[in-house]
Amino acid sequence: MDTPHSKVAMVSGGARGIGRAIVEELLRHGWRVSVGARNTAASFEGFGPDRVRVYRFDAEQKQTEADWVAATVRDFGGIDALVHNAGIISTQSVVEAPDEEVDRLLEVNVKSPLRLTRHAWPHLLAADEAKVLVMASLAGKRVRAPGASLYALSKAAVLSLAHGIRHCGAESRVRCTALCPGFVATDMAVGVPTEQWEKLTRPEDVARIARTVLELPASASVAEIPISWQVEPQF
């Protein structure tokens, strides 16, 4: 475990899956972490409240976004990195999905991280070479089946959001990177054939890449990183 330093990261959806792996990776390497989650009972053994705290965050409840940012600044003194990891999946096609499904997917996957970035922006500007990390997906770069098309639409929008944030932070040296994993061995990959499961990208793999990006200097601006458990012809 590295010696704690002053860097503070906010990680949405940090109670489980990829988000939890990112939180644990950052904690092991000295970061202080503000975890946003619907499950505020989540705990991180071996780390006290000076290193990690869990706050109520629900992407479908706007007030929790502002409250989480305010609580992070109050308890940790600032924000050096913002990791947009929270998201939901859909197996509906763009032709068949009802408006309610479309609205919910865009609300959680796109509009909430957009609003969170706005709330955190003044604090990111005040930090030394701040970072924003957006969990997009390979689904945002290609569509493989009708049942993946609505989810892909939301992730394509997320990818564009990441590039928009990147340009907004160009002069102030707030860097933004989109991570674009394919299938990762979490509960969101339920249904993947058994023979493939052991070959999938692990949450810890994504977490290592995430930390590397967050710790890069502003002179190394990385726009996006595609990640797959197999070699894909598109990449």
Side-chain angles (χ1 to χ4, degrees), residues 57-184:
F57 166 70
D58 187 330
E60 296 183 89
Q61 297 180 11
K62 294 180 183 180
Q63 189 57 48
T64 65
E65 299 160 357
D67 290 347
W68 177 29
V69 171
T72 299
V73 174
R74 178 195 68 212
D75 295 338
F76 288 97
I79 303 168
D80 298 281
L82 177 58
V83 180
H84 294 302
N85 170 74
I88 56 175
I89 196 167
S90 173
T91 57
Q92 297 277 343
S93 77
V94 291
V95 173
E96 297 173 341
D99 285 351
E100 294 78 13
E101 178 81 357
V102 176
D103 291 343
R104 183 167 184 253
L105 205 66
L106 294 179
E107 182 70 20
V108 173
N109 290 359
V110 184
K111 295 174 70 175
S112 182
L114 185 156
R115 291 190 300 261
L116 257 178
T117 302
R118 289 174 178 167
H119 288 305
W121 197 251
H123 308 289
L124 294 169
L125 291 176
D128 179 23
E129 296 193 349
K131 298 290 194 306
V132 179
L133 188 64
V134 178
M135 194 62 63
S137 171
L138 286 181
K141 300 176 71 64
R142 80 293 194 258
V143 181
R144 286 189 158 182
S149 58
L150 181 60
Y151 178 69
L153 183 155
S154 75
K155 286 302 185 176
V158 167
L159 188 56
S160 291
L161 172 63
H163 283 285
I165 295 170
R166 179 167 171 263
H167 282 283
C168 288
E171 297 304 317
S172 56
R173 295 171 73 80
V174 176
R175 301 300 186 227
C176 182
T177 300
L179 292 190
C180 303
F183 276 126
V184 178

